[in-house]
Amino acid sequence: HWSSPLCMPAWAARYFIKITDVRPERLQEITEEDCKAEGSYMATDKDDEAGYVNLWDSINPKYPFSNNPYIWRYEFKKVDK
C-alpha cells in the first residue's frame, strides 16, 4: 500500500529542518558559496559559477539562467528530533 511521504510518521524521518528565512531573489544574485551549496560540484566545469549555470539550465529549460528569473530563496537549519 503506497502512502505519500508528506504523511510519513515522525519516527521514520531521518532528520528535521526548520526554515529560518524565505525571500524572493534574482537568480543571478547567487554567490560562489551558494553555488557550491546547491550542488554545482555535479557539473564538469572547473568554474563553480559556470557549473551551476549549466546545472540550472539542464534542470529548468523554461527558465534559463540568462533570463535572470525571480526565485524563492529558502534558508534552513537542521534541528534535533
Side-chain angles (χ1 to χ4, degrees):
H1 172 264
W2 181 85
S3 181
S4 169
L6 294 175
C7 301
M8 178 173 47
W11 62 265
R14 286 185 231 152
Y15 57 87
F16 292 88
I17 61 171
K18 179 178 181 179
I19 296 173
T20 58
D21 190 27
V22 179
R23 64 182 181 274
E25 187 175 280
R26 297 299 288 223
L27 180 59
Q28 292 181 9
E29 292 176 10
I30 193 165
T31 65
E32 183 177 337
E33 188 176 290
D34 294 336
C35 288
K36 289 179 182 177
E38 286 292 326
S40 69
Y41 63 89
M42 295 174 62
T44 57
D45 299 72
K46 292 184 180 181
D47 178 9
D48 288 318
E49 188 173 340
Y52 183 75
V53 170
N54 292 336
L55 180 62
W56 176 271
D57 287 344
S58 70
I59 295 170
N60 304 288
K62 291 183 180 180
Y63 306 100
F65 191 87
S66 59
N67 286 357
N68 198 20
Y70 276 99
I71 51 124
W72 287 101
R73 178 184 178 121
Y74 288 84
E75 292 184 8
F76 58 90
K77 65 178 184 176
K78 188 175 174 182
V79 294
D80 295 328
K81 288 187 178 182

